[in-house]
Amino acid sequence: MSRRALTLLVAGFLVLALGITGAWLDVPYVVLSPGPTENTIGAVDKKPVITIDGRQTYPTTGALSLVTVSYQGGPRARPDLLTALRGWVDPTSAVVPEESIFPRTQTAEEVEQENTAEMTSSQDNATAAALTELKIPYSMVPTVQSVEKKAPAAGKLKPGDELRSVDGKPVTSTDEVAAAVKAHKPGDEIVFGIVRDGRQQDVTVKTVANKQGAAMVGILMQARYKFPFKVSISVGDVGGPSAGMMFALGIIDKLTPGEMTGGKSIAGTGTITPEGKVGGIGGIAQKMVGAKDSGATIFLTPADNCAEAVQAAPDGLRLVKAETLHGAVQALDAIRSGKGEVPSCSAG
């Protein structure tokens, strides 16, 4: 064998070896694929997804399904190059940079905790939105969610404290508490009227200046709802806020006579505010595939996702545009009755 042929043979083996080795190297990407769907008016593991106690409920039929995205990868279990390549080739999957799912400023555990918190908040917002749509009164109480370490409020205010007044003036929202604090100068003392473990008390906190020079005490707040009856939602290991609209529709369906779906299999996605505003989400292409695979024929699509959804919608899946919860309810009424306008997504 000539020296040139031997050199080419050795080089070929080296390239092959490097290629094989490289294919098994971990890469900083995440592979997104269609996840499971859950019927919000159905059951998971023989347990109703939505349970309502203290209020009359009505039978439901069909499906109002939330959709999810499964992911493979992350800082703790990065996919190899072959897995990423398969994801790139698969039209139902997407391969995205790891930092788009797991920001470098957060650990994987922190991302998971945030997703869990967002799911809990989404369920509360969904209940509030449903009751708003049905004109059932409820109230909100600003509550301490967390306290910064070494902040003025540390050791004085605690997570779970309900904030009822600031300097003797009643407050009913987190915005009112924030405005009351900002009205002070750094160094001022603020008296918070709180309820802790069912007992009322006053707590005095001295403010300091934040980076912008405004007064702060170092707490993160959330609105804790006071509903006139109990709504429990259980969907297992699902995180994030994107199921909000479907939870709200499921609650409305259970609280009102008649069948919202008309017996059809309907899926959808979208965040929800207590006022009923539907917000956009990520992974719309994978969620539509999951909806179609579950048997859905109608897909409630956030208006912000319509243009992308039109480009990736599976055949046979009707896209219905949803800007508000009220609009989604009206669209389902029109589909069921065959009367009225049904807003649809367009590419523009």
Side-chain angles (χ1 to χ4, degrees):
M1 181 180 294
S2 67
R3 179 177 296 178
R4 182 173 182 275
L6 180 61
T7 300
L8 289 174
L9 181 63
V10 171
F13 275 121
L14 287 174
V15 170
L16 179 61
L18 288 172
I20 293 173
T21 303
W24 295 103
L25 289 176
D26 294 343
V27 292
Y29 288 91
V30 175
V31 181
L32 306 179
S33 58
T37 63
E38 302 291 356
N39 181 10
T40 62
I41 53 176
V44 175
D45 296 330
K46 299 182 179 180
K47 180 179 180 180
V49 172
I50 297 173
T51 303
I52 299 174
D53 296 315
R55 186 86 173 191
Q56 181 178 0
T57 58
Y58 300 88
T60 60
T61 63
L64 287 168
S65 297
L66 63 88
V67 286
T68 64
V69 174
S70 295
Y71 70 85
Q72 184 176 1
R76 292 181 296 184
R78 285 177 171 170
D80 56 50
L81 182 58
L82 281 177
T83 300
L85 289 173
R86 284 195 294 268
W88 269 309
V89 173
D90 185 353
T92 67
S93 298
V95 180
V96 299
E98 183 179 271
E99 59 266 23
S100 67
I101 306 295
F102 298 92
R104 294 180 180 177
T105 56
Q106 293 178 287
T107 65
E109 290 80 6
E110 287 173 336
V111 170
E112 291 176 358
Q113 290 172 0
E114 183 177 305
N115 285 338
T116 300
E118 286 180 340
M119 170 57 80
T120 301
S121 177
S122 174
Q123 294 172 359
D124 289 341
N125 287 346
T127 303
L131 269 58
T132 298
E133 174 67 18
L134 296 174
K135 296 180 172 55
I136 298 174
Y138 64 91
S139 61
M140 291 186 295
V141 178
T143 305
V144 177
Q145 181 176 353
S146 62
V147 181
E148 296 179 16
K149 294 180 179 179
K150 299 182 180 180
K156 296 186 176 183
L157 294 174
K158 298 180 180 180
D161 286 347
E162 296 181 357
L163 305 173
R164 298 299 182 90
S165 66
V166 178
D167 295 327
K169 296 180 180 180
V171 289
T172 58
S173 71
T174 56
D175 289 341
E176 288 181 353
V177 176
V181 172
K182 289 180 180 179
H184 283 268
K185 295 180 180 179
D188 288 350
E189 290 187 340
I190 299 179
V191 179
F192 292 95
I194 69 170
V195 173
R196 178 184 296 166
D197 299 327
R199 300 175 62 183
Q200 295 185 0
Q201 57 183 288
D202 289 337
V203 176
T204 301
V205 181
K206 188 174 183 178
T207 64
V208 295
N210 62 15
K211 293 180 180 179
Q212 290 74 40
M216 62 162 282
V217 295
I219 60 174
L220 180 63
M221 297 178 290
Q222 64 179 4
R224 178 172 292 176
Y225 296 98
K226 300 285 187 178
F227 298 122
F229 48 87
K230 185 177 181 180
V231 178
S232 302
I233 301 176
S234 176
V235 287
D237 189 20
V238 176
S242 64
M245 176 176 64
M246 301 311 295
F247 286 143
L249 289 171
I251 293 168
I252 292 172
D253 198 10
K254 283 177 171 282
L255 287 174
T256 53
E259 302 171 343
M260 180 176 283
T261 67
K264 297 180 183 295
S265 179
I266 296 167
T269 186
T271 63
I272 198 75
T273 67
E275 299 75 27
K277 172 68 175 177
V278 176
I281 50 80
I284 189 72
Q286 289 71 45
K287 289 179 178 179
M288 289 189 297
V289 172
K292 180 67 184 300
D293 289 347
S294 72
T297 56
I298 296 168
F299 190 80
L300 297 171
T301 312
D304 292 343
N305 293 113
C306 266
E308 180 186 359
V310 167
Q311 302 298 322
D315 292 338
L317 191 65
R318 181 182 182 183
L319 303 185
V320 175
K321 181 169 68 174
E323 297 184 74
T324 65
L325 178 62
H326 182 67
V329 171
Q330 288 186 316
L332 293 179
D333 287 344
I335 291 171
R336 185 181 62 255
S337 66
K339 301 177 182 179
E341 183 179 352
V342 180
S344 60
C345 284
S346 62

